Amino acid sequence: MAAVDSLNLSRVSRKSEEAPDPDAELARKALYYMFLMREVEERIEKRLYRQGKIVGGVYVGRGQEAICVGAGLAADPQDVLFPCHRDMALYFIRGIQPREVLAQYMGRVGGPTRGKDGNMHMGDLNRRIVAIISAMAASVPVSAGAAMALKYQGSRNCVLVFFGDGATSRGDFHEGINMAAVMKAPLVLICNNNAYAYSTPVHKQMACANVADKGPGYGVPAEIVDGNDFFAVHRATARAIAHAREGLGPYLIECKTFRMTGHAAHDSAFYVPKHLFEEWAAKDPILRLERHMIENGIATREEIDAMYARIRAEVDEAQAWAEQSPFPDPSELLTNVYEEK
Amino acid sequence: MAAVDSLNLSRVSRKSEEAPDPDAELARKALYYMFLMREVEERIEKRLYRQGKIVGGVYVGRGQEAICVGAGLAADPQDVLFPCHRDMALYFIRGIQPREVLAQYMGRVGGPTRGKDGNMHMGDLNRRIVAIISAMAASVPVSAGAAMALKYQGSRNCVLVFFGDGATSRGDFHEGINMAAVMKAPLVLICNNNAYAYSTPVHKQMACANVADKGPGYGVPAEIVDGNDFFAVHRATARAIAHAREGLGPYLIECKTFRMTGHAAHDSAFYVPKHLFEEWAAKDPILRLERHMIENGIATREEIDAMYARIRAEVDEAQAWAEQSPFPDPSELLTNVYEEK
Amino acid sequence: MPTTYLEAIRQGIWEEMERDPNVFCIGEDIGVYGGAFKVTAGMLEAFGEKRVVDTPISESAIVGAAIGASLMGLRPIAEMQYADFISCAFDQVVNFAAKCRYRWNAPVPIVVRAPSGGGTHGGPFHSQSPEAWFVHTPGLKVVMPGTARDAKGLIKAAIRDNDPVIFFEHKALYRRLKEEIPEGDYTVPIGKARVFREGKDLSIITYGAMLYVAQEAAETLEKEGVSTEIIDMRTLLPIDEETVLASVKKTSRAILLHEATLTGGFGAEIAARIAEKAFEYLDAPIARVAAPDTPIPFSTPLEQAFFPNADKVLEKARWLCAY
Amino acid sequence: MPTTYLEAIRQGIWEEMERDPNVFCIGEDIGVYGGAFKVTAGMLEAFGEKRVVDTPISESAIVGAAIGASLMGLRPIAEMQYADFISCAFDQVVNFAAKCRYRWNAPVPIVVRAPSGGGTHGGPFHSQSPEAWFVHTPGLKVVMPGTARDAKGLIKAAIRDNDPVIFFEHKALYRRLKEEIPEGDYTVPIGKARVFREGKDLSIITYGAMLYVAQEAAETLEKEGVSTEIIDMRTLLPIDEETVLASVKKTSRAILLHEATLTGGFGAEIAARIAEKAFEYLDAPIARVAAPDTPIPFSTPLEQAFFPNADKVLEKARWLCAY
Ligand SMILES: Cc1ncc(C[n+]2csc(CCOP(=O)(O)OP(=O)(O)O)c2C)c(N)n1
Ligand SMILES: Cc1ncc(C[n+]2csc(CCOP(=O)(O)OP(=O)(O)O)c2C)c(N)n1
Ligand SMILES: [Mg+2]
Ligand SMILES: [Mg+2]
């Protein structure tokens, strides 16, 4: 698990007299990861990218953090994750450090791919986290195969695969979920339905109302959750994982959310009606979790702010480290195409 | 429309005093095409193939004739057909002659592809019938595009695409039906669920009970019909076509049937429980239609047998013609790769 | 007026849309957004939703639908958001589109536009140059303009062509290349290479963005007393063998240059043809300069090392000239 | 014991399944049916449903699932019912499998078996030889045995290899080729060509079923006083350039022979390498014999005209020898 240095939210909450509250503990962890993700992505998008220190595409999950954090924290460390491009916190949850992620974005050797690939195209088999390829939904059949393998190995673990609404249109989504269903493979499919795929609104992506409506056609239970509600995502994922561990096969969760940015850093999202951003800003998952924590006495405003400050400092350090990380030597161009003996 | 030479079932049926009965007329046509298909396919599979006069794969639609005939007769001649590999009657309905089909199977220039392609890999744009490629379901997106084009052209016509239960597992099925649905393209999707795809029973193909269960996930109305009941298929197709013509988009029909043969002529179907063949033999769509016609006074046994005899003679002639049709000259190998100016 | 490579393609499509009501565009984010690279910008407003069709993320269905529409008499222009994603539509391209005419005499006049090429920090999945796969697929035509003039003339020719055309557009040229192009309607014939620069000692046979690498090398060689001819293939299939052979017969030395990876690339085919058909004219080995056989790395120093450059061409050129 | 090419592959898989519990087979109709060609016949009974996995008709998911299982430590053998359908899995093969190791150091030890090749009246979609697409895809290995001995040794090597291997099996050899093979466990190294027949005047470089066409031609040439060396590539990627160049340096004449279509085929790559690296040894042009650039026709006379045969090889051989 991640070295969660900044996660020392005072354990002395107003309920401190009572036994440690697992819900409170979870909320603190969740807020930590959600804010960490947002902070790292803000650096990437609003600083490093604009400063030209990051080249290439930059996609962020601003406003969607509850999904990857909710699902990621529901999983066991031995469950296998297939993040998509707006799921950065999954890496942190699995212990990949912010500095490594920042180095990855800047093409430095300090990143998990040593500059071979960029941005969220990273993975680490030791941490059971698999790198996407760019083709949307290509991970779905691969995750199905990973889930089949876990079953083959007699493992009680499962696989969680993440993707967007747009990805569901691809043949690979279909073939992957269908095969997993036929095989009763322990696969949890987590769709972030953020209303857009690049400029394409979801009603131009599909003619049904919900991604979850696709479940019955695969014989896969499907549920819809508020993707901006960390607890809702977490509970649904826990249900899905339990289903998978019981050998009942795949489970589809549609997390309704909203993409609070353009598709990527270069995209102004001019095609998105302004009022939607305003409406969804009010539903921000971080604000929402903060509110929950304060209202339920899990943390005070001051404690939260102090945690944020620590995270910012942690990310400052990470950024400094990453910027010092060297670029790969051109000789690395030719390495690792095949196994080197 | 086909020159239906043998379709002169006595028009003087027991109801002859009354006004011409369209249902009776339809039944006669249907029986003609269903029997013609069976007869041509029997020649192909049980004679020409075994005699070595047909090389390569031979797939027949024995026991499934009600599907292509029911759907094909519901379509307007300007509607566009995309047959699959067990839909031979569609060619006859569109006026392609048995002799041409037999020549096609034997690789002769008398076939619609002049020997360039084999068996059911044939089409004719003038007759609005599009050739499949072998990859299952590849026709689905193509048919979606044809349907989009009809809409583009302001035509009131629609497109009918045929495929099997196995084909629905492919990404192309998914992408094609989904795109057609989003575009509200006039596309009628006709699935013959014959319980097997090669040796694979349908429960290993999908984890839902019916192909029709996939409709809601695309926002496409879907219905299940008895695929061995000509009238049921015909009526469902008529409904689907009306839906398409009204601009309401695609419509999926699942025709439950059974593959009364092996997958292809080389396959003994040892993996199919014997009793299934027995059960389904009793539900043969031709016998069923015969029975309906006799019971309803549409035709007598004798009239039907006379028609069969005429069809057999017609196919004898067709076969003789096809066997006389020359093989293509090797020089044709190089023609028609590109437009020749 | 100086026109960018991108604008030239846009103009070409636009004029064909105006000329022929059967021409329409289909792809992801090509409407409201105007395409990931803005090649179709403004077309939705000008031609309406009917003719500028935004699709779900379904490359196979985009190409499939284009094929189906073409069979009904339309002339679709399908956009792959990046050439890399044509792999998702591969079966439709190589088995459906490429083979219809041969099999059952059904023409498939589609254009599949595929922004390809690297140098834009795209990493492994937004930088590929997959043209060779399609050059090995009979029934397709494969085009890749290297100049703005050709970009317009070839996209128009592709749209009018009665066979399926895979039209590669080099992303790095979209906005960097700006030049005078003829006013109004003109086409550039598919299947014709052109002498991009005349020379007599050495032929560099290339296409796309590598033209400018060749050009840079040629200028240096000029100073070294070597007169370099550059052949811009423009169409990669069908191959204009005549122009290639004529050049090599004149210069007696040939370098094949492309940014796609070396092994099995387009250069191999041209080298093989020269080695079979102009052997007796050769004064030196046939050299190839191409990207190494690796995926395309993301980080700038690796990316720079990956792509061919003038130095790599010069090294081979000097070897050939000294041979 | 004389063993067919098919049986050799079957034995190889069987032995590897016995040796390593992580090896399993996945594909359409490979279980109860034993595979369209019966390569996996009997395996379901012997190894059970867990290790002989029948799938829906989903080539992309078959390859994708194999990749995913391999990432979890298994060693999947995926079967394409026909090589032609690998187009439906193309993105998974060329973008997922081929690039994982390079990008994030994740090995993908899968084997994708693909029955390819013609001469079995399969028509356009059951006869293709699509190896060149994969030879142009860094990160893959591409293998095609031409003998029963190699078929067994190479399938075993492929299963043990830690990179993705596309394993082409020639359908026409499955049952027609029968020969003695070594008993028990042996592997044939991936990446090594072999001298199939020694000679000194002319090299025919080929693989798969074309070996026997080369052989036939060589026997005729022998009578004409020409000593022909035949190189069986066996592995098409990585290319054993050394063996090829050694042969051509010895004979000074080369014919590349394959049944895939000419343009952009594997022969082009070998011709290009010879033309660059053994130029000074050549006494004649480098010739290619391959199928013409058309889809593969169905009807017997067209099919026969399509495939290379000894006469076509002889024509080129005589030209080279008279050069
Ligand atoms: C097969 C494929 N086609 C096109 C693209 C280009 N592309 C990248 S992200 C994207 C939109 C994805 O939308 P969605 O799945 O909803 O995810 P989101 O970005 O909204 O999280 C597109 C079209 C791609 N990556 N892959
Ligand atoms: C993409 C693809 N994979 C495999 C095959 C081989 N194949 C031909 S028909 C068939 C079974 C088709 O089953 P179904 O769609 O149910 O049609 P049916 O034969 O039962 O009518 C298979 C696997 C193919 N043609 N295409
Ligand atoms: Mg989205
Ligand atoms: Mg079936």
Side-chain angles (χ1 to χ4, degrees), chain A residues 288-307:
Chain A
R288 184 161 172 178
L289 183 56
E290 280 183 1
R291 222 162 27 233
H292 168 88
M293 290 171 74
I294 293 170
E295 280 168 14
N296 289 275
I298 296 170
T300 63
R301 180 75 258 164
E302 293 68 36
E303 285 165 346
I304 289 171
D305 288 341
M307 181 180 76

Side-chain angles (χ1 to χ4, degrees), chain C residues 95 99 102-103 125 128 133 136 138 261 263-264 269 273 275-276 279-280 284-286 288 293 316 319 323, chain D residues 95 99 103 125 128 133 136 138 261 263-264 269 273 275-276 279-280 284-286 288 293 295 316 319 323:
Chain C
N95 282 328
K99 298 181 175 47
Y102 188 74
R103 294 169 52 231
F125 306 110
Q128 294 176 82
W133 292 333
H136 187 52
T261 52
T263 296
E269 178 59 31
R273 294 196 182 201
E276 180 153 2
F279 178 74
E280 64 271 38
I286 304 167
R288 286 186 295 166
D293 290 326
K316 292 279 186 177
W319 173 52
Y323 196 86
Chain D
N95 283 327
K99 297 180 176 48
R103 294 168 52 230
F125 305 111
Q128 295 178 78
W133 292 332
H136 186 52
T261 53
T263 295
E269 178 59 31
R273 293 194 182 203
E276 182 155 358
F279 179 72
E280 64 270 40
I286 303 166
R288 285 187 294 166
D293 290 327
K316 293 277 186 177
W319 174 52
Y323 196 84

Side-chain angles (χ1 to χ4, degrees), chain A residues 85-86 134 136 164-167 194 196-197 263, chain C residues 28 59 81 85:
Chain A
H85 55 288
R86 304 192 198 278
S134 291
M136 291 292 108
D165 44 289
N194 63 4
Y196 282 89
H263 170 60
Chain C
E28 295 156 12
E59 281 73 13
Q81 201 157 82
F85 303 132

Side-chain angles (χ1 to χ4, degrees), chain B residues 7-334:
Chain B
L7 186 50
N8 46 354
L9 261 188
S10 167
R11 267 136 221 283
V12 190
S13 78
R14 266 159 272 169
K15 290 193 184 168
S16 63
E17 304 88 289
E18 300 157 37
D21 176 356
D23 198 59
E25 197 56 35
L26 183 61
R28 283 187 208 102
K29 251 194 197 163
L31 190 65
Y32 169 76
Y33 284 118
M34 286 163 68
F35 191 82
L36 177 60
M37 170 171 166
R38 183 159 306 174
E39 183 61 26
V40 171
E41 289 193 341
E42 296 265 320
R43 298 294 169 108
I44 286 171
E45 193 192 9
K46 301 199 177 145
R47 271 203 244 166
L48 296 167
Y49 177 78
R50 293 186 190 161
Q51 292 167 358
K53 289 179 182 161
I54 290 175
V55 294
V58 161
Y59 314 83
V60 299
R62 184 150 67 251
Q64 306 183 192
E65 295 90 346
I67 299 169
C68 58
V69 174
L73 289 179
D76 178 291
Q78 289 302 307
D79 294 333
V80 182
L81 305 180
F82 284 73
C84 201
H85 55 288
R86 305 194 197 277
D87 301 309
M88 184 182 284
L90 293 176
Y91 295 96
F92 301 141
I93 290 172
R94 283 302 161 90
I96 294 173
Q97 300 297 319
R99 64 191 195 185
E100 296 173 86
V101 170
L102 287 161
Q104 162 80 5
Y105 273 75
M106 289 192 278
R108 312 301 176 103
V109 297
T113 69
R114 298 184 62 83
K116 287 276 177 78
D117 209 335
N119 55 42
M120 68 293 173
H121 290 80
M122 58 190 164
D124 183 341
L125 281 179
N126 293 325
R127 293 181 157 115
R128 297 215 151 209
I129 189 160
V130 173
I132 49 167
I133 67 168
S134 291
M136 290 293 106
S139 282
V140 180
V142 178
S143 68
M148 288 160 66
L150 293 178
K151 191 171 167 182
Y152 187 104
Q153 291 162 335
S155 162
R156 60 176 291 286
N157 284 109
C158 69
V159 176
L160 284 72
V161 61
F162 297 75
F163 50 89
D165 45 289
T168 66
S169 298
R170 277 217 55 237
D172 269 9
F173 165 76
H174 175 74
E175 293 196 6
I177 184 174
N178 183 60
M179 187 178 288
V182 169
M183 306 294 172
K184 282 205 179 304
L187 179 66
V188 177
L189 298 113
I190 298 171
C191 179
N192 87 68
N193 182 345
N194 62 4
Y196 281 89
Y198 211 149
S199 72
T200 306
V202 74
H203 71 269
K204 286 193 164 188
Q205 199 69 240
M206 61 196 208
C208 57
N210 307 294
V211 170
D213 298 344
K214 298 175 186 292
Y218 303 108
V220 169
E223 65 171 295
I224 298 172
V225 298
D226 178 343
N228 286 24
D229 177 349
F230 162 78
F231 290 107
V233 176
H234 188 268
R235 280 191 305 265
T237 309
R239 277 192 294 278
I241 290 175
H243 179 92
R245 296 213 207 289
E246 272 171 59
L248 300 174
Y251 195 106
L252 172 62
I253 302 171
E254 174 179 10
C255 304
K256 300 274 195 193
T257 185
F258 195 75
R259 195 189 69 198
M260 293 300 293
T261 62
H263 170 61
H266 67 267
D267 170 16
S268 70
F270 65 87
Y271 48 82
V272 178
K274 288 271 169 318
H275 71 91
L276 287 174
F277 286 121
E278 286 154 24
E279 279 164 43
W280 283 89
K283 301 186 202 168
D284 184 85
I286 292 184
L287 295 182
R288 183 160 171 176
L289 182 56
E290 280 183 2
R291 218 162 30 231
H292 168 88
M293 290 171 74
I294 293 171
E295 280 169 14
N296 290 276
I298 297 170
T300 62
R301 180 76 258 165
E302 295 65 37
E303 287 165 346
I304 289 171
D305 288 341
M307 180 179 79
Y308 290 174
R310 284 192 300 274
I311 288 175
R312 284 197 195 93
E314 188 185 338
V315 178
D316 284 342
E317 261 179 63
Q319 185 181 332
W321 185 91
E323 292 194 41
Q324 296 307 314
S325 176
F327 281 105
D329 188 88
S331 66
E332 291 199 35
L333 171 64
L334 301 176

Side-chain angles (χ1 to χ4, degrees), chain A residues 70-314:
Chain A
L73 290 180
D76 178 292
Q78 289 302 307
D79 291 334
V80 182
L81 306 179
F82 284 74
C84 200
H85 55 288
R86 304 192 198 278
D87 301 309
M88 184 180 286
L90 293 177
Y91 295 96
F92 301 142
I93 290 172
R94 284 300 162 92
I96 293 173
Q97 300 297 319
R99 65 189 194 185
E100 296 173 85
V101 170
L102 287 161
Q104 162 82 2
Y105 274 75
M106 290 192 277
R108 311 301 175 103
V109 295
T113 69
R114 297 184 62 84
K116 286 276 176 77
D117 208 335
N119 55 43
M120 68 292 172
H121 290 80
M122 57 190 163
D124 183 341
L125 280 180
N126 292 324
R127 293 182 157 114
R128 299 217 152 208
I129 188 161
V130 174
I132 50 167
I133 67 167
S134 291
M136 291 292 108
S139 283
V140 180
V142 179
S143 68
M148 288 159 66
L150 293 178
K151 191 171 166 183
Y152 187 104
Q153 293 163 334
S155 162
R156 59 175 291 286
N157 284 108
C158 69
V159 176
L160 283 74
V161 62
F162 297 77
F163 50 89
D165 44 289
T168 66
S169 298
R170 279 218 52 236
D172 268 9
F173 164 76
H174 175 76
E175 293 195 6
I177 185 174
N178 183 61
M179 188 179 288
V182 169
M183 305 295 171
K184 283 207 180 304
L187 180 65
V188 177
L189 299 113
I190 298 171
C191 179
N192 88 68
N193 182 345
N194 63 4
Y196 282 89
Y198 210 148
S199 73
T200 306
V202 73
H203 71 268
K204 287 194 163 185
Q205 198 69 239
M206 60 196 207
C208 57
N210 308 293
V211 170
D213 297 345
K214 299 177 185 293
Y218 303 107
V220 169
E223 65 171 294
I224 298 174
V225 299
D226 178 344
N228 286 24
D229 178 349
F230 162 77
F231 291 106
V233 176
H234 188 268
R235 279 192 304 266
T237 308
R239 274 193 294 278
I241 289 175
H243 179 92
R245 295 211 206 293
E246 273 171 59
L248 300 174
Y251 195 105
L252 172 62
I253 302 171
E254 174 178 11
C255 304
K256 300 273 193 192
T257 186
F258 195 74
R259 194 188 71 198
M260 292 300 291
T261 64
H263 170 60
H266 67 265
D267 170 15
S268 70
F270 66 87
Y271 48 82
V272 178
K274 287 273 169 318
H275 72 91
L276 287 175
F277 286 121
E278 287 153 23
E279 281 164 41
W280 283 88
K283 302 186 201 167
D284 184 85
I286 293 184
L287 295 181
R288 184 161 172 178
L289 183 56
E290 280 183 1
R291 222 162 27 233
H292 168 88
M293 290 171 74
I294 293 170
E295 280 168 14
N296 289 275
I298 296 170
T300 63
R301 180 75 258 164
E302 293 68 36
E303 285 165 346
I304 289 171
D305 288 341
M307 181 180 76
Y308 289 174
R310 283 190 302 274
I311 289 175
R312 282 196 197 95
E314 186 185 339

